[in-house]
Amino acid sequence: MKIILLLQQGCPRIVGFDLVMASILANRGHEVSLLGCGLALPACDCTDIGSGITFGKSCQDPRPLTVARNVGYNLPMLRRWVTPEMYPAVQEAASVPYGLSDILAYQGDYLYLGEMAFQSWRLYHHAVMPSQDEAEWVTPTIRDFLASAILLSWLYPKVLDELQPDILWTLNGRYTRQRIPCELMLAAGKRYESYDMDGDRFHFHINQP
């Protein structure tokens, strides 16, 4: 089977597990591709309120990609499918919703991207629904998450069409970068498998976050 494994570059512990799983799957005869990101997503400039870490900086460590390449895995990067006109177009599309309620209602061609973007923002910031007073200063950040979701919604159909995976493997499937391809796999009648970590325990799921 052809398997795409979404490489979680921003967390060394998760990357280590991804590489172990890729090795296990390859040793069982599957054709494994590790899909990296390599994108300057608008949300990558946002800073985690709790840790103070800028999201994109945590993905700039070259060691996971170096290890994956040295082992010999096919390692396409999402940026390979980006065209020059996409960035201005995605910023224009994301600027249309004005307030938080507009962002939440934003729907792409086939996915509820506003809801996905807001969910990703909440997970990254460990946040709840902002109050009316808070909405004014958090909305620009959430709009950056929406812009990222729009760009990813344009890229992933191209990726899946070219690589033609039978199975997608990913961390939990809740964040936008993971959830969009998971939804596309389901729409194509294929499956995705996800995992979550609880301390030293791993939980595995099929076709559900």
Side-chain angles (χ1 to χ4, degrees):
M1 286 189 173
K2 288 185 177 181
I3 299 176
I4 288 180
L5 193 153
L6 299 187
L7 194 63
Q8 308 301 321
Q9 294 170 237
C11 179
R13 182 185 180 196
I14 297 175
V15 168
F17 182 74
D18 286 341
L19 294 175
V20 169
M21 286 306 303
S23 178
I24 292 172
L25 293 168
N27 287 334
R28 292 186 176 184
H30 298 294
E31 182 181 335
V32 179
S33 294
L34 298 173
L35 184 62
C37 187
L39 287 172
L41 294 175
C44 294
D45 291 329
C46 301
T47 300
D48 180 73
I49 293 173
S51 66
I53 296 174
T54 300
F55 300 132
K57 288 184 178 179
S58 64
C59 295
Q60 293 174 5
D61 186 343
R63 289 173 294 180
L65 301 182
T66 301
V67 170
R69 290 191 178 100
N70 288 344
V71 173
Y73 290 117
N74 180 34
L75 185 58
M77 305 294 284
L78 273 172
R79 65 169 176 257
R80 169 176 148 193
W81 287 271
V82 176
T83 56
E85 66 273 9
M86 281 186 175
Y87 284 114
V90 76
Q91 290 292 356
E92 181 180 355
S95 68
V96 173
Y98 179 74
L100 180 57
S101 60
D102 301 304
I103 293 175
L104 288 170
Y106 187 94
Q107 184 173 357
D109 293 335
Y110 50 87
L111 295 169
Y112 289 95
L113 297 178
E115 182 270 330
M116 289 185 181
F118 181 69
Q119 176 72 0
S120 285
W121 174 82
R122 288 183 60 187
L123 289 169
Y124 275 118
H125 288 281
H126 314 290
V128 295
M129 176 66 78
S131 66
Q132 187 172 356
D133 293 335
E134 294 169 331
E136 183 176 351
W137 61 268
V138 301
T139 295
T141 301
I142 300 173
R143 189 177 290 117
D144 285 339
F145 275 79
L146 175 61
S148 299
I150 293 171
L151 179 58
L152 291 170
S153 75
W154 294 349
L155 293 176
Y156 272 120
K158 300 177 184 292
V159 174
L160 299 180
D161 183 61
E162 180 175 329
L163 300 182
Q164 289 292 315
D166 300 297
I167 297 174
L168 180 78
W169 172 270
T170 182
L171 171 72
N172 70 44
R174 296 191 184 100
Y175 296 86
T176 307
R177 181 176 171 252
Q178 306 146 3
R179 187 172 170 191
I180 289 175
C182 288
E183 294 290 343
L184 291 174
M185 290 293 286
L186 293 178
K190 299 180 180 181
R191 84 172 193 255
Y192 73 87
E193 299 184 8
S194 62
Y195 67 92
D196 247 325
M197 294 184 293
D198 179 13
D200 294 328
R201 295 184 178 184
F202 287 86
H203 304 275
F204 299 90
H205 313 278
I206 296 177
N207 291 344
Q208 63 181 21

